Amino acid sequence: MLERVRIPQFSPGQRIGLYGGSFNPPHAGHYAAALEALKSARLDWVWWFVSPQNPLKDPTHTEDFRERMALARTIATHPRFIVSDFEMRVGSRMTAETLYALEPVLHRGRFVWIMGADSLAGLHHWRRWRELPRTLPLLVIDRPGWTFRALSSRAAHYLAPWRLKESDAALLPGIRPPAWVFLTLPLRKESSTAIRSGTVTPKTHRKP
């Protein structure tokens, strides 16, 4: 499959964060989270995987995939960020399928999965959800209003024995999973839901 589907180029052994999501729409908060992940885990790249459709969300509330891709590229302007349509090309509708498609190349780099605290809070609703922390270390980025729900979630309790200190985030790319870090950072008020509802105006960011 990967012979026919182009993935971002990388050198063997590089440290890569996989940042999956609907990005509906992408905004400066996504950029800030990806930048903090890049710095804290000392990553070489962050690949933004724009999902064709989150199976847990109403498709009528999801904007056109091409529009989300285009907007994500206007947001993710850091030279170490790459916005990819990989999930669309391989026909992935859930993270487990994405991991399966990536399996032939995972041994060539040091990969980490980046997710928001809201995703951790609902991780146990994902199909075959345990495959993700068993396949890749997790870097969980805190989000406004989600801290308690994330850390008291079923997935967080399941993964509790493998939680590392926040100061150990840079160790994640070299650690055999399961392993995870809950990363706090200055919380931003932007959210895709609020932007879609019109209660928050999307903001651009300053280039690094």
Side-chain angles (χ1 to χ4, degrees):
M1 179 182 294
L2 288 178
E3 288 76 9
R4 300 194 302 271
V5 179
R6 184 172 59 185
I7 63 170
Q9 294 185 350
F10 68 99
S11 299
Q14 284 193 318
R15 302 156 66 94
I16 300 168
L18 304 179
Y19 189 23
S22 299
F23 301 108
N24 184 44
H27 51 71
H30 290 130
Y31 180 92
L35 185 62
E36 187 61 35
L38 184 80
K39 294 177 178 179
S40 297
R42 299 178 187 172
L43 303 173
D44 295 299
W45 301 99
V46 175
W47 296 355
W48 295 45
F49 278 177
V50 181
S51 172
Q53 173 59 48
N54 185 329
L56 297 179
K57 295 183 178 179
D58 187 342
T60 63
H61 295 162
T62 303
E63 297 297 327
D64 179 77
F65 175 77
R66 290 170 296 181
E67 292 179 3
R68 289 184 284 120
M69 280 287 300
L71 186 53
R73 288 186 171 124
T74 69
I75 295 290
T77 57
H78 192 283
R80 293 184 181 271
F81 292 170
I82 298 176
V83 178
S84 174
D85 61 354
F86 178 80
E87 291 191 319
M88 172 65 82
R89 291 183 178 274
V90 300
S92 171
R93 297 291 174 175
M94 59 182 183
T95 301
E97 294 173 340
T98 300
L99 296 177
Y100 178 77
L102 285 170
E103 188 175 357
V105 300
L106 290 180
H107 68 282
R108 289 171 40 197
R110 299 180 180 183
F111 289 87
V112 173
W113 189 270
I114 303 167
M115 65 194 312
D118 55 328
S119 293
L120 178 64
L123 181 61
H124 61 284
H125 294 300
W126 298 14
R127 289 184 60 189
R128 293 155 45 191
W129 66 271
R130 289 182 177 86
E131 291 184 20
L132 175 56
R134 290 174 180 171
T135 303
L136 295 175
L138 306 181
L139 182 58
V140 184
I141 311 294
D142 199 7
R143 289 192 59 189
W146 286 96
T147 308
F148 177 77
R149 281 179 284 181
L151 295 178
S152 62
S153 67
R154 177 179 171 186
H157 285 297
Y158 169 76
L159 294 169
W162 301 288
R163 182 181 176 185
L164 304 179
K165 295 182 296 183
E166 191 168 348
S167 58
D168 290 334
L171 301 177
L172 279 179
I175 291 180
R176 183 176 180 177
W180 65 293
V181 167
F182 190 86
L183 192 64
T184 58
L185 68 160
L187 299 179
R188 305 176 64 98
K189 64 181 180 180
E190 294 102 326
S191 76
S192 295
T193 301
I195 291 172
R196 290 196 303 273
S197 68
T199 58
V200 172
T201 302
K203 296 181 179 179
T204 57
H205 57 80
R206 296 180 180 178
K207 291 186 178 181

